[in-house]
Amino acid sequence: MNVVVIGAQWGDEGKGKIVDFLAEGASLIVRFSGGANAGHTIVLGEERYALHLIPSGVLHAGKTVVLGAAMVIDPEALFGELAMLEARGVDASGRVFISDRAHIVLPSYGARDREKDAARRRPLGTTGRGIGVAYAMKCERDGVRLADLDSLDALSELSDADRAFLEKRRERLLSMAIDLSAYLAGGSPLHQNILFEGAQGALLDLDLGTYPYVSSGMSCAAGAAVGGCVGPRALDKVLGVFKAYSTRVGNGPFPSEFRADDEAEEGLCRFVRETGREYGVTTGRPRRCGYLDVPALRYACRTNSIDVLVMTHLDVYDELDEVKACVGYRIDGAFVEDFPSSVRALERAEPVLRAFPGWRRSIAGVGSFDGLPKRAREYIAFIEGFCGVPVGMVSVGAERGQTMVRSPVWV
């Protein structure tokens, strides 16, 4: 079975934890998009791991992981991650591979990325790690793929500094290279359950997201076929991970964002940010926080064929008397119930909120869905009804064990 895990919001939904949880039942984990601008946090007991390129399943001993064809690979970040894992007792040797069709992020790209964003009339708020430049070079047919490192002639047009950088790392990178399409077509019983891991979120997808405030790659479910080197009919199930509220990093429209000029909402923003540890894994920037945007979530479900929703961070709302969700927008005086395509319409949108009574008790130790407070289950049931997609998993904490499964994934 081939299962895809994507973010159903603007990233940072907790995909890393969910991939780590599901990896036990997988034989292979393939990260299909993005670069070192992504950040997945895994908590194992007292240990906390921040991964940016390597798929989250690497923390399971013996699991093979692959960096897919639609990724852009920063060699220094990759080797730094491998060194971090080794230093902390995780033996990843012989278990991490890279599609030879993946593109390389060169050292000069970072400065170009930051300069370009600073010069924009409306800066995007990128991480400045050269990811956008790598994808732009790819589109212009001037990029460098891992497969190109086989021939030094392919590097002749690069600057002396970039060429020297690659030549020093060439052998190690090539030792990890595989033809992912052929590898998956090999028919090995080890490939019976493949987990395709996305980065960022559906609302940051280059085509389906809040353009131009989006990532440069495919963070939608369809990207799993491209980056995973399989056909679309090979994908059996799509899981969309979302928080019980909404967050966003960087610039761009965010209709349900807590308002800084409203004392109550400003206080709620501080509470959610600190309780949910809403700071970027890659940049450390505080995340913008807001009410759950249910029309946006429904849009993500529709455009990604999400079969099952996975809710995270529900426990962040434990202490609240009341929980609110955005159920539509007021734009220029008119009620709008669907997520708009126009970024300018989104910037003018005022959220229409619906209130739900809070459950006022800790759910961090609850082990089953039926054990959740009735009011928490009612909140979830509303989301299911609005989106037309079941919530099959609920996370109530950072630990693997703090995950409730209502419907098995690997069936």
Side-chain angles (χ1 to χ4, degrees):
M1 173 173 278
N2 295 334
V3 173
V4 180
V5 175
I6 64 165
Q9 295 168 306
W10 283 284
D12 308 308
E13 303 94 346
K15 296 180 297 297
K17 179 205 167 169
I18 300 306
V19 170
D20 171 73
F21 179 80
L22 294 174
E24 185 175 358
S27 48
L28 181 70
I29 301 92
V30 179
R31 163 91 177 268
F32 65 82
S33 66
N37 55 337
H40 292 169
T41 301
I42 313 297
V43 177
L44 301 177
E46 298 299 316
E47 297 290 328
R48 181 177 291 267
Y49 299 86
L51 299 173
H52 303 279
L53 283 168
I54 300 174
S56 304
V58 74
L59 297 177
H60 289 263
K63 300 291 182 181
T64 299
V65 300
V66 180
L67 284 67
M71 288 188 67
V72 289
I73 312 298
D74 179 336
E76 284 295 89
L78 174 61
F79 297 157
E81 255 176 66
L82 290 169
M84 176 273 293
L85 290 172
E86 182 180 0
R88 297 179 66 177
V90 179
D91 183 10
S93 57
R95 297 197 291 121
V96 180
F97 298 99
I98 311 171
S99 166
D100 57 8
R101 289 177 168 82
H103 279 246
I104 306 295
V105 179
L106 297 176
S108 60
Y109 291 2
R112 289 166 61 183
D113 197 2
R114 293 187 291 273
E115 290 168 5
K116 186 171 184 177
D117 200 45
R120 294 180 191 272
R121 183 171 59 87
R122 301 169 69 171
L124 304 180
T126 72
T127 60
R129 299 179 67 93
I131 307 303
V133 173
Y135 276 115
M137 297 289 284
K138 173 182 176 179
C139 292
E140 293 171 0
R141 276 80 78 188
D142 287 325
V144 177
R145 300 187 306 164
L146 185 53
D148 297 329
L149 302 189
D150 259 340
S151 170
L152 293 179
D153 290 341
L155 311 180
S156 60
E157 296 183 2
L158 299 178
S159 69
D160 291 343
D162 282 344
R163 188 167 57 254
F165 173 84
L166 285 177
E167 287 175 354
K168 288 180 182 178
R169 295 155 181 83
R170 175 174 174 268
E171 293 302 324
R172 187 176 183 187
L173 286 169
L174 287 174
S175 72
M176 302 168 70
I178 60 170
D179 180 335
L180 181 54
S181 174
Y183 183 73
L184 296 181
S188 167
L190 296 177
H191 300 164
Q192 289 179 350
N193 284 342
I194 304 177
L195 188 58
F196 292 89
E197 172 185 349
Q200 286 86 41
L203 301 181
L204 290 176
D205 181 79
L206 183 60
D207 293 296
L208 301 176
T210 52
Y211 187 89
Y213 299 98
V214 292
S215 185
S216 300
M218 296 179 70
S219 50
C220 60
V226 178
C229 294
V230 298
R233 285 185 292 181
L235 305 177
D236 299 303
K237 188 179 292 185
V238 179
L239 274 61
V241 185
F242 75 103
K243 287 174 179 168
Y245 47 92
S246 299
T247 62
R248 180 164 196 167
V249 172
N251 300 332
F254 187 1
S256 65
E257 184 173 13
F258 298 135
R259 292 161 44 202
D261 60 354
D262 182 294
E263 185 176 351
E265 290 196 1
E266 184 184 22
L268 183 57
C269 181
R270 288 196 303 269
F271 171 81
V272 168
R273 182 177 290 145
E274 296 305 318
T275 307
R277 303 182 67 163
E278 296 297 349
Y279 294 88
V281 178
T282 301
T283 64
R285 289 183 292 184
R287 295 179 184 135
R288 299 159 63 190
C289 302
Y291 301 108
L292 175 64
D293 189 328
V294 196
L297 182 61
R298 180 175 61 186
Y299 168 76
C301 291
R302 289 171 173 172
T303 54
N304 291 274
S305 296
I306 292 176
D307 299 293
V308 178
L309 284 166
V310 179
M311 174 184 268
T312 66
H313 292 68
L314 182 61
D315 53 301
V316 172
Y317 275 164
D318 282 354
E319 297 180 21
L320 301 185
D321 293 319
E322 184 179 68
V323 172
K324 292 181 180 179
C326 169
V327 296
Y329 318 99
R330 189 73 59 184
I331 303 176
D332 300 331
F335 177 73
V336 176
E337 61 180 2
D338 287 316
F339 189 66
S341 301
S342 166
V343 68
R344 288 165 182 79
L346 282 168
E347 288 170 342
R348 299 196 305 274
E350 299 176 7
V352 176
L353 302 176
R354 174 171 170 174
F356 302 83
W359 40 94
R360 296 290 298 169
R361 53 166 277 206
S362 173
I363 60 173
V366 175
S368 69
F369 183 81
D370 290 340
L372 288 172
K374 180 182 177 183
R375 289 177 174 176
R377 286 185 276 118
E378 288 173 344
Y379 181 54
I380 294 171
F382 169 78
I383 296 166
E384 291 179 311
F386 195 104
C387 296
V389 178
V391 175
M393 296 173 63
V394 179
S395 170
V396 293
E399 293 281 353
R400 276 181 190 163
Q402 292 178 297
T403 311
M404 307 167 202
V405 180
R406 297 176 73 190
S407 55
V409 172
W410 297 113
V411 293

